[in-house]
Amino acid sequence: MKATRAEEILKSQEIIGVKYRNNDVWIESVDKERSTAYVTYLEQHNTVHVAIGQLEETGPVKPQ
C-alpha cells in the first residue's frame, strides 16, 4: 500500500479492511514522510508502528 492510500483509508467515512501480516488492523495514524503508520490489531487491541508498504487493503467492510 502507498502512504496516500493509507491516509485516504484513515480519513474515509467508510470502513475499509486492512491487514498487516494476515491480521486485521485499524489505521490509527499515517506518517507520509517516513512511509509508516501506527495500526491497532482488531483482535488483540495492541498498537504497533509498521511500514505502510506491508499493509494490504482488503476492501469495504459491511457493518453487521
Side-chain angles (χ1 to χ4, degrees):
M1 176 179 300
K2 295 185 186 254
T4 26
R5 182 58 183 147
E7 196 169 58
E8 289 171 358
I9 291 170
L10 176 65
K11 294 178 179 179
S12 176
Q13 294 294 320
E14 294 181 87
I15 299 171
I16 300 172
V18 176
K19 288 191 180 258
Y20 173 67
R21 296 187 176 173
N22 292 321
N23 293 288
D24 293 316
V25 295
W26 185 261
I27 300 173
E28 300 289 347
S29 64
V30 173
D31 183 340
K32 286 173 47 175
E33 289 181 19
R34 294 185 176 147
S35 292
T36 60
Y38 280 99
V39 299
T40 299
Y41 286 99
L42 296 183
E43 290 185 16
Q44 300 161 344
H45 302 289
N46 58 319
T47 303
V48 293
H49 191 227
V50 302
I52 291 173
Q54 294 180 327
L55 299 176
E56 176 186 348
E57 182 177 349
T58 59
V61 175
K62 295 179 184 175
Q64 296 183 11

